[in-house]
Amino acid sequence: MADTLILIPARMAATRLPGKPLADIAGLPMIVHVLRRAEAADVGPVVVATDSPEIEAAVQEAGGRVAMTRADHTSGSDRVFEALGIADPAGRTKLVVNVQGDLPTLAPADITAAVALLADEAVDIGTVAAEITRAEERDDPSVVKVVGSPVGRGRLRALYFTRATAPYGEGPLYHHIGLYAYRRRALERFVGLPPSPLEKREKLEQLRALEAGMRIDVAIVESAPLGVDTPEDYERFVRMVRQQAA
């Protein structure tokens, strides 16, 4: 897709696992594992957006592209928007995919699924979610749930995102995966909006888009990838990689 660009924001100053983009896993930094997953999706060029010379060096050593951004960004979306201007100053890119740099087990097909949602001109942002199958995730506030109305097989129109257990009653709950495909104009509008009341309350940036009346559709995928946010997550991923290599 010549008009699609994947951007991976990465920074060293993570609160719970400082320096995690460079955490070694089977001889490669974690950011390179994410880079390879994004490249495998084969939807367009992949660029890592960072303010860290160390991350820049690791990505370039792996043959990847880097956009060096400011260090004062308050969110990954802001960093992605600056990197878009650096990587594509001529404005040729129409679709922008924001892949979090701490999802080293992300399925390439999940990226494709998010981008495919934008074939519908009414959709501003595409994202993905997986049905929750582990009971402990239902009440875990670190597992973000998406509440949506079905608009087709395996597809929802997002009505709300929350850290609470929702919706109430019988039926599936969906674990939201932090992957977004934006129309360029939607991303530009989004980063220009002030933080919204529900965004600040839930600490979920995507609520800003919903509160502004933007449409977010969700593709339901097979499973949620392991996000590496803590030392425990990191050890779990290392064990997973070792088991696959055995």
Side-chain angles (χ1 to χ4, degrees):
M1 301 178 186
D3 60 352
T4 302
L5 176 67
I6 299 176
L7 291 164
I8 307 172
R11 64 190 183 98
M12 294 292 284
T15 304
R16 291 179 288 180
L17 188 60
K20 67 180 178 180
L22 300 184
D24 183 272
I25 303 165
L28 289 175
M30 184 168 69
I31 188 63
V32 175
H33 284 270
V34 180
L35 174 69
R36 297 292 184 244
R37 296 281 176 147
E39 290 172 339
D42 197 28
V43 299
V46 182
V47 178
V48 174
T50 187
D51 58 16
S52 164
E54 295 88 353
I55 294 174
E56 178 188 33
V59 171
Q60 289 180 337
E61 184 177 351
R65 290 176 58 190
V66 179
M68 292 298 289
T69 61
R70 303 196 317 268
D72 60 349
H73 289 301
T74 58
S75 73
S77 299
D78 292 327
R79 191 178 305 281
V80 159
F81 185 64
E82 184 192 356
L84 173 61
I86 295 169
D88 179 34
R92 295 187 178 91
T93 297
K94 304 304 180 188
L95 308 180
V96 184
V97 185
N98 179 347
V99 174
Q100 291 185 4
D102 57 3
L103 296 176
T105 66
L106 180 68
D110 292 357
I111 297 174
T112 306
V115 172
L117 294 170
L118 298 182
D120 183 342
E121 290 293 333
V123 178
D124 298 298
I125 304 169
T127 189
V128 294
E131 184 174 345
I132 292 175
T133 57
R134 297 168 59 194
E136 61 269 26
E137 288 191 355
R138 297 176 67 89
D139 302 315
D140 184 349
S142 68
V143 175
V144 177
K145 291 84 177 176
V146 57
V147 180
S149 292
V151 288
R153 183 176 180 181
R155 177 172 177 165
L156 306 174
R157 178 174 180 176
L159 302 176
Y160 194 61
F161 296 86
T162 182
R163 298 183 184 278
T165 304
Y168 177 78
E170 295 297 323
L173 300 181
Y174 293 102
H175 180 157
H176 179 235
I177 299 164
L179 157 70
Y180 300 94
Y182 295 88
R183 298 190 189 282
R184 188 179 190 131
R185 63 180 183 271
L187 177 60
E188 183 174 8
R189 180 187 176 199
F190 177 78
V191 299
L193 293 169
S196 65
L198 289 172
E199 172 189 359
K200 291 188 283 187
R201 181 169 178 171
E202 291 260 19
K203 296 181 173 56
L204 295 174
E205 193 181 33
Q206 61 270 41
L207 290 173
R208 185 191 318 174
L210 289 183
E211 288 186 80
M214 299 175 75
R215 177 168 169 173
I216 304 177
D217 274 22
V218 185
I220 304 305
V221 298
E222 290 186 6
S223 62
L226 171 64
V228 180
D229 293 315
T230 66
E232 293 75 20
D233 293 336
Y234 171 67
E235 292 300 327
R236 182 180 169 193
F237 181 54
V238 169
R239 289 195 300 271
M240 183 185 305
V241 171
R242 288 174 178 168
Q243 289 170 356
Q244 291 173 348

